[in-house]
PDB file of all heavy atoms in Angstrom:
ATOM      1  N   LEU A 188      -7.438   4.684   0.766  1.00 96.00           N
ATOM      2  CA  LEU A 188      -8.400   5.699   0.351  1.00 96.00           C
ATOM      3  C   LEU A 188      -9.410   6.040   1.444  1.00 96.00           C
ATOM      4  O   LEU A 188      -9.881   7.174   1.524  1.00 96.00           O
ATOM      5  CB  LEU A 188      -9.146   5.238  -0.907  1.00 96.00           C
ATOM      6  CG  LEU A 188      -8.301   5.107  -2.169  1.00 96.00           C
ATOM      7  CD1 LEU A 188      -9.099   4.414  -3.274  1.00 96.00           C
ATOM      8  CD2 LEU A 188      -7.798   6.459  -2.629  1.00 96.00           C
ATOM      9  N   GLU A 189      -9.747   5.083   2.280  1.00 95.00           N
ATOM     10  CA  GLU A 189     -10.784   5.285   3.292  1.00 95.00           C
ATOM     11  C   GLU A 189     -10.263   5.832   4.622  1.00 95.00           C
ATOM     12  O   GLU A 189     -11.063   6.229   5.467  1.00 95.00           O
ATOM     13  CB  GLU A 189     -11.535   3.977   3.534  1.00 95.00           C
ATOM     14  CG  GLU A 189     -12.338   3.537   2.327  1.00 95.00           C
ATOM     15  CD  GLU A 189     -12.861   2.123   2.434  1.00 95.00           C
ATOM     16  OE1 GLU A 189     -12.728   1.501   3.518  1.00 95.00           O
ATOM     17  OE2 GLU A 189     -13.403   1.629   1.443  1.00 95.00           O
ATOM     18  N   THR A 190      -8.967   5.855   4.806  1.00 95.00           N
ATOM     19  CA  THR A 190      -8.450   6.308   6.095  1.00 95.00           C
ATOM     20  C   THR A 190      -8.708   7.800   6.294  1.00 95.00           C
ATOM     21  O   THR A 190      -8.662   8.584   5.354  1.00 95.00           O
ATOM     22  CB  THR A 190      -6.952   5.981   6.262  1.00 95.00           C
ATOM     23  OG1 THR A 190      -6.576   6.247   7.605  1.00 95.00           O
ATOM     24  CG2 THR A 190      -6.088   6.792   5.324  1.00 95.00           C
ATOM     25  N   GLN A 191      -8.977   8.154   7.519  1.00 94.00           N
ATOM     26  CA  GLN A 191      -9.195   9.556   7.886  1.00 94.00           C
ATOM     27  C   GLN A 191      -7.953  10.153   8.545  1.00 94.00           C
ATOM     28  O   GLN A 191      -7.938  11.320   8.905  1.00 94.00           O
ATOM     29  CB  GLN A 191     -10.388   9.661   8.841  1.00 94.00           C
ATOM     30  CG  GLN A 191     -11.683   9.151   8.250  1.00 94.00           C
ATOM     31  CD  GLN A 191     -12.131   9.936   7.031  1.00 94.00           C
ATOM     32  OE1 GLN A 191     -12.163  11.165   7.062  1.00 94.00           O
ATOM     33  NE2 GLN A 191     -12.451   9.255   5.953  1.00 94.00           N
ATOM     34  N   GLU A 192      -6.937   9.346   8.722  1.00 96.00           N
ATOM     35  CA  GLU A 192      -5.701   9.764   9.386  1.00 96.00           C
ATOM     36  C   GLU A 192      -4.712  10.301   8.358  1.00 96.00           C
ATOM     37  O   GLU A 192      -4.873  10.115   7.161  1.00 96.00           O
ATOM     38  CB  GLU A 192      -5.088   8.577  10.132  1.00 96.00           C
ATOM     39  CG  GLU A 192      -6.033   7.877  11.093  1.00 96.00           C
ATOM     40  CD  GLU A 192      -6.471   8.754  12.237  1.00 96.00           C
ATOM     41  OE1 GLU A 192      -5.648   9.561  12.716  1.00 96.00           O
ATOM     42  OE2 GLU A 192      -7.632   8.653  12.659  1.00 96.00           O
ATOM     43  N   LYS A 193      -3.627  10.890   8.839  1.00 97.00           N
ATOM     44  CA  LYS A 193      -2.558  11.381   7.968  1.00 97.00           C
ATOM     45  C   LYS A 193      -1.491  10.326   7.716  1.00 97.00           C
ATOM     46  O   LYS A 193      -0.578  10.530   6.920  1.00 97.00           O
ATOM     47  CB  LYS A 193      -1.916  12.628   8.580  1.00 97.00           C
ATOM     48  CG  LYS A 193      -2.845  13.813   8.605  1.00 97.00           C
ATOM     49  CD  LYS A 193      -2.159  15.035   9.123  1.00 97.00           C
ATOM     50  CE  LYS A 193      -3.113  16.222   9.114  1.00 97.00           C
ATOM     51  NZ  LYS A 193      -2.456  17.454   9.530  1.00 97.00           N
ATOM     52  N   SER A 194      -1.623   9.195   8.416  1.00 97.00           N
ATOM     53  CA  SER A 194      -0.656   8.109   8.234  1.00 97.00           C
ATOM     54  C   SER A 194      -1.324   6.782   8.568  1.00 97.00           C
ATOM     55  O   SER A 194      -2.385   6.748   9.208  1.00 97.00           O
ATOM     56  CB  SER A 194       0.570   8.321   9.132  1.00 97.00           C
ATOM     57  OG  SER A 194       0.205   8.241  10.497  1.00 97.00           O
ATOM     58  N   LEU A 195      -0.693   5.708   8.122  1.00 97.00           N
ATOM     59  CA  LEU A 195      -1.142   4.358   8.445  1.00 97.00           C
ATOM     60  C   LEU A 195      -0.170   3.780   9.474  1.00 97.00           C
ATOM     61  O   LEU A 195       1.021   3.633   9.188  1.00 97.00           O
ATOM     62  CB  LEU A 195      -1.149   3.481   7.193  1.00 97.00           C
ATOM     63  CG  LEU A 195      -2.085   3.918   6.059  1.00 97.00           C
ATOM     64  CD1 LEU A 195      -1.801   3.092   4.808  1.00 97.00           C
ATOM     65  CD2 LEU A 195      -3.536   3.766   6.483  1.00 97.00           C
ATOM     66  N   LYS A 196      -0.670   3.487  10.658  1.00 97.00           N
ATOM     67  CA  LYS A 196       0.171   2.954  11.735  1.00 97.00           C
ATOM     68  C   LYS A 196       0.563   1.518  11.411  1.00 97.00           C
ATOM     69  O   LYS A 196      -0.249   0.714  10.951  1.00 97.00           O
ATOM     70  CB  LYS A 196      -0.568   2.991  13.065  1.00 97.00           C
ATOM     71  CG  LYS A 196      -1.097   4.364  13.449  1.00 97.00           C
ATOM     72  CD  LYS A 196       0.010   5.276  13.837  1.00 97.00           C
ATOM     73  CE  LYS A 196      -0.559   6.605  14.343  1.00 97.00           C
ATOM     74  NZ  LYS A 196       0.241   7.730  14.019  1.00 97.00           N
ATOM     75  N   TRP A 197       1.837   1.216  11.656  1.00 97.00           N
ATOM     76  CA  TRP A 197       2.337  -0.135  11.361  1.00 97.00           C
ATOM     77  C   TRP A 197       1.531  -1.198  12.096  1.00 97.00           C
ATOM     78  O   TRP A 197       1.227  -2.247  11.519  1.00 97.00           O
ATOM     79  CB  TRP A 197       3.815  -0.267  11.712  1.00 97.00           C
ATOM     80  CG  TRP A 197       4.737   0.633  10.946  1.00 97.00           C
ATOM     81  CD1 TRP A 197       5.663   1.484  11.467  1.00 97.00           C
ATOM     82  CD2 TRP A 197       4.856   0.772   9.518  1.00 97.00           C
ATOM     83  NE1 TRP A 197       6.331   2.153  10.470  1.00 97.00           N
ATOM     84  CE2 TRP A 197       5.856   1.731   9.256  1.00 97.00           C
ATOM     85  CE3 TRP A 197       4.199   0.200   8.445  1.00 97.00           C
ATOM     86  CZ2 TRP A 197       6.220   2.106   7.972  1.00 97.00           C
ATOM     87  CZ3 TRP A 197       4.564   0.582   7.160  1.00 97.00           C
ATOM     88  CH2 TRP A 197       5.558   1.519   6.934  1.00 97.00           C
ATOM     89  N   ASP A 198       1.178  -0.951  13.348  1.00 95.00           N
ATOM     90  CA  ASP A 198       0.454  -1.974  14.100  1.00 95.00           C
ATOM     91  C   ASP A 198      -0.923  -2.261  13.501  1.00 95.00           C
ATOM     92  O   ASP A 198      -1.429  -3.372  13.598  1.00 95.00           O
ATOM     93  CB  ASP A 198       0.348  -1.628  15.590  1.00 95.00           C
ATOM     94  CG  ASP A 198      -0.380  -0.334  15.869  1.00 95.00           C
ATOM     95  OD1 ASP A 198      -0.513   0.508  14.968  1.00 95.00           O
ATOM     96  OD2 ASP A 198      -0.811  -0.152  17.028  1.00 95.00           O
ATOM     97  N   LYS A 199      -1.520  -1.280  12.825  1.00 95.00           N
ATOM     98  CA  LYS A 199      -2.815  -1.498  12.166  1.00 95.00           C
ATOM     99  C   LYS A 199      -2.655  -2.218  10.823  1.00 95.00           C
ATOM    100  O   LYS A 199      -3.632  -2.710  10.261  1.00 95.00           O
ATOM    101  CB  LYS A 199      -3.518  -0.167  11.936  1.00 95.00           C
ATOM    102  CG  LYS A 199      -3.732   0.645  13.177  1.00 95.00           C
ATOM    103  CD  LYS A 199      -5.065   0.377  13.766  1.00 95.00           C
ATOM    104  CE  LYS A 199      -5.165   1.146  15.061  1.00 95.00           C
ATOM    105  NZ  LYS A 199      -6.408   1.732  15.320  1.00 95.00           N
TER     106      LYS A 199
END
Side-chain angles (χ1 to χ4, degrees):
L188 294 170
E189 293 168 8
T190 189
Q191 300 298 311
E192 307 296 324
K193 292 184 179 184
S194 65
L195 298 170
K196 305 288 185 214
W197 298 127
D198 60 341
K199 303 267 176 141

